[in-house]
């Protein structure tokens, strides 16, 4: 049996028997989500939770001061940042900022793959956020939120992580990246959906993780998956379908025209989004 089939059949068995080890949400993200779901929570209590994690605090202040919130007066404390971002958004934003902790491995080869995956993901996030921002500015429609968009784009390919972890036991797989590509291509969506359910995320996240690269899945109304697809196409993740994705985006009203994507405004928004995760 070839290594490729061996890895695939191990993964499929584990998926079917529910024995595939799924990543768990970083502790700080769990804590913030739990706090945000408490009906009696206030901004001070939330500030205290976020303040326990210095790296999250710094990034939260960075986000509060970023072009995305479009404010000129800089905030300097976590209390001010939490107030500016708002309780509902904090839940998604803090989860998004904590995600990077999952893309690490003690194995140097796997670690390199994870790093690359993280960089690719941040590119998808930046393009998706910028595309949604342009859409919101153009249509004044506020049904899709930037914080949900950020998190949806960050988890779109989360199903790759258990595959890389499993592959760690088969060093020879990394000598032939094609093996890995096939496993990822065939299974990442299914695994991503399982992770979203295990984390108790809303259906919109599950749908993105399962179907972002399957154009046969098309929600009736414009949704986060439309913008994740734009992001993925621009980040070079679905080259064979890039034109189809962008044409669909125009048909569905997510983009006005291809020219939007080369505008200075779009480029600045992308840069601003990447800054947050730099």
């Amino acid at each position: 049996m070839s290594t490729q089939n061996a890895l695939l059949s191990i993964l499929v068995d584990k998926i079917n028997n529910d024995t595939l080890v799924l990543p768990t949400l970083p502790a700080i993200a769990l804590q913030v989500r739990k706090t945000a779901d408490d009906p009696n929570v206030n901004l001070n209590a939330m500030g205290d939770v976020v303040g326990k994690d210095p790296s999250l605090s710094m990034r939260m202040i960075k986000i509060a001061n970023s072009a995305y919130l479009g404010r000129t007066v800089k905030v300097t404390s976590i209390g001010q940042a939490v107030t500016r971002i708002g309780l509902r958004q904090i839940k998604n934003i803090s989860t998004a900022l904590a995600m990077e902790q999952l893309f690490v491995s003690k194995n140097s080869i796997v670690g390199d793959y994870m790093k690359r995956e993280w960089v690719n993901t941040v590119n998808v996030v930046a393009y998706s956020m910028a595309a949604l921002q342009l859409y919101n500015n153009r249509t004044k429609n506020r049904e899709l939120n930037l914080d949900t968009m950020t998190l949806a784009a960050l988890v779109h390919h989360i199903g790759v992580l258990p595959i890389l972890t499993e592959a760690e036991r088969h060093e020879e797989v990394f000598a032939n990246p094609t093996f890995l590509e096939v496993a990822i291509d065939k299974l990442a969506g299914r695994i991503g959906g399982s992770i979203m359910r295990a984390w108790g995320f809303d259906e919109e996240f599950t749908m993105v993780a399962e179907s972002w690269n399957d154009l046969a899945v098309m929600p009736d109304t414009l949704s986060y998956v439309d913008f994740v697809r734009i992001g993925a196409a621009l980040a070079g993740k679905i080259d064979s379908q890039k034109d189809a994705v962008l044409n669909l985006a125009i048909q569905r009203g997510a983009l006005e025209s291809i020219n939007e994507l080369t505008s200075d405004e779009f480029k600045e928004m992308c840069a601003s989004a990447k800054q947050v995760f730099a």
Side-chain angles (χ1 to χ4, degrees), residues 90-223:
I90 286 273
K91 184 173 162 180
N92 286 338
I93 292 288
S94 60
T95 307
L97 294 175
M99 291 307 284
E100 188 175 4
Q101 296 172 20
L102 297 178
F103 289 78
V104 289
S105 169
K106 290 187 176 72
N107 177 310
S108 63
I109 304 178
V110 181
D112 285 346
Y113 264 87
M114 295 262 194
K115 262 198 212 88
R116 228 174 314 160
E117 189 56 46
W118 175 250
V119 171
N120 282 338
T121 297
V122 168
N123 284 334
V124 175
V125 171
Y127 290 128
S128 305
M129 282 172 78
L132 178 60
Q133 182 94 327
L134 283 178
Y135 170 80
N136 284 347
N137 293 349
R138 186 181 78 238
T139 60
K140 304 289 176 268
N141 189 326
R142 289 286 175 273
E143 272 162 37
L144 300 177
N145 312 305
L146 274 173
D147 56 288
T148 309
M149 179 74 262
T150 307
L151 187 53
L154 269 173
V155 298
H156 83 281
H157 213 203
I158 198 84
V160 169
L161 298 188
I163 296 175
L164 289 174
T165 309
E166 193 58 51
E168 209 169 305
R169 299 192 187 123
H170 308 266
E171 289 267 330
E172 69 280 12
V173 171
F174 292 97
N176 184 343
T178 326
F179 286 170
L180 217 47
E181 292 309 317
V182 171
I184 287 169
D185 192 47
K186 284 201 160 78
L187 300 174
R190 254 171 90 184
I191 297 171
S194 305
I195 297 171
M196 294 296 93
R197 290 186 190 97
W199 288 358
F201 277 26
D202 295 344
E203 184 49 41
E204 56 203 359
F205 294 105
T206 308
M207 181 186 164
V208 166
E210 277 180 343
S211 312
W212 67 275
N213 59 356
D214 178 2
L215 296 188
V217 176
M218 197 61 69
D220 296 339
T221 55
L222 209 55
S223 76

Side-chain angles (χ1 to χ4, degrees), residues 8-24:
L8 264 182
S9 59
I10 289 167
L11 284 163
V12 170
D13 280 349
K14 291 196 167 187
I15 292 169
N16 292 340
N17 302 327
D18 250 351
T19 52
L20 189 66
V21 178
L22 302 180
T24 51

Side-chain angles (χ1 to χ4, degrees), residues 1 4 8 41 62 65 71 82-84 94 111 140 142-143 146 152-153 162 173-174 189 223 239 249 260 275-276:
M1 196 182 198
Q4 177 175 348
L8 264 182
V41 72
K62 207 169 171 185
N65 289 327
R71 306 290 170 82
V82 167
T83 305
R84 178 172 288 183
S94 60
K140 304 289 176 268
R142 289 286 175 273
E143 272 162 37
L146 274 173
V173 171
F174 292 97
S223 76
D239 275 351
E260 270 188 307
Q275 228 16 72
V276 170

